[in-house]
Amino acid sequence: MSDTITLTGIVATPPKHIVTSEQLQITSFRLASTQRKYDRTEQKWVDADTNWYTVTAFRSLAANAIGSILKGQRVIVTGRLRIREWATDEKTGTTIEVDADSLGHDLTFGTSVFTRTPAATAAPDTAESAAAAEQIPEVPDAPEPTMDELAEQRAKHPSELPVPF
């Protein structure tokens, strides 16, 4: 049985990308997830404990992650949880790993621009997903806003939501 988990946190290490001899793409990074709570006596948000996870992505997700995710960015990760105990002569510990099914930027803290990966570089994992991908209707082309336009829109309409940091 596998446990599925969804995490939010900060990419704590630069993502590492490898391609195995069998051409399997793998990208991994450490994720720091710190709980925040409101201290009523201090009247401010304070950090609680930080949990550390090793996130690993495979195949097309790995290829897309290395081109999208950077150290310091806030992300959302969904995947299968694995917990392993380890020991050396001097230390013991627990490693918590997540085999990612999905990765993305946490839009609570910023914006992101999505670019669909061409089918030639991101082959579907199964015949069913290939058939499903063919069912996606074409979207009419719309002019992409420039970064200046996006910055201007954000300046005119800042978020009304308070950020707890």
Side-chain angles (χ1 to χ4, degrees), residues 27 29 54-58 61 77-80 98-103:
T27 299
F29 59 89
T54 299
V55 177
T56 307
F58 298 92
L61 180 58
V77 179
T78 300
R80 291 171 308 283
V98 178
D99 289 340
D101 292 325
S102 298
L103 278 170

Side-chain angles (χ1 to χ4, degrees), residues 42-134:
E42 296 286 325
Q43 295 292 306
K44 65 179 182 177
W45 289 93
V46 295
D47 289 339
D49 294 331
T50 299
N51 292 321
W52 293 91
Y53 303 90
T54 299
V55 177
T56 307
F58 298 92
R59 300 177 190 75
S60 61
L61 180 58
N64 291 335
I66 196 63
S68 303
I69 305 296
L70 300 172
K71 179 181 175 181
Q73 293 180 335
R74 292 184 173 272
V75 295
I76 298 174
V77 179
T78 300
R80 291 171 308 283
L81 182 68
R82 289 188 305 174
I83 301 172
R84 297 187 221 210
E85 302 293 327
W86 57 270
T88 65
D89 291 339
E90 302 165 2
K91 297 180 183 179
T92 62
T94 303
T95 299
I96 303 173
E97 300 174 348
V98 178
D99 289 340
D101 292 325
S102 298
L103 278 170
H105 291 108
D106 186 346
L107 299 182
T108 303
F109 299 94
T111 62
S112 188
V113 176
F114 177 79
T115 303
R116 187 175 176 134
T117 306
T121 59
D125 290 336
T126 64
E128 293 83 15
S129 62
E134 297 301 322

Side-chain angles (χ1 to χ4, degrees), residues 116 131-139:
R116 187 175 176 134
E134 297 301 322
Q135 301 296 325
I136 298 172
E138 289 296 318
V139 177

